Amino acid sequence: MNGMNGLDRKCQRDKLRFVRISNQDLVCRDCLYRYDDSVIWGNTSKCEMYETVKPSIVIDGGKCELYDKEESL
């Protein structure tokens, strides 16, 4: 036996992968309301505009109805 449990084997053979996403992967990359996710990873799923978490469509890389582009200085 190679030391892998069933979950390890399942993760390796399934097409789904667990990867960290960041604001850079989303429309949120330059949104005025984004939280800094460079230190606290969970901040990718939250922002000033949503009470709990961003909608799944946004986290999946889609559009956000509350997106407001941050102005460059």
Side-chain angles (χ1 to χ4, degrees):
M1 183 146 195
N2 63 5
M4 282 200 291
N5 65 33
L7 183 59
D8 290 335
R9 286 191 298 276
K10 179 173 175 36
C11 289
Q12 285 190 343
R13 75 172 178 263
D14 282 358
K15 292 180 182 178
L16 295 176
R17 297 285 184 224
F18 299 96
V19 295
R20 177 181 180 253
I21 60 169
S22 72
N23 285 331
Q24 290 301 314
D25 302 314
L26 309 175
V27 68
C28 312
R29 75 180 52 85
D30 59 358
C31 182
L32 179 63
Y33 307 115
R34 74 187 181 283
Y35 290 150
D36 180 13
D37 67 345
S38 62
V39 177
I40 302 174
W41 289 12
N43 279 346
T44 302
S45 63
K46 299 180 257 180
C47 76
E48 290 180 27
M49 297 306 288
Y50 293 102
E51 204 169 297
T52 54
V53 296
K54 296 173 189 174
S56 296
I57 190 84
V58 176
I59 295 173
D60 288 340
K63 288 180 146 184
C64 178
E65 293 180 12
L66 303 177
Y67 170 79
D68 190 7
K69 185 174 180 172
E70 184 176 55
E71 296 295 323
S72 300
L73 297 176

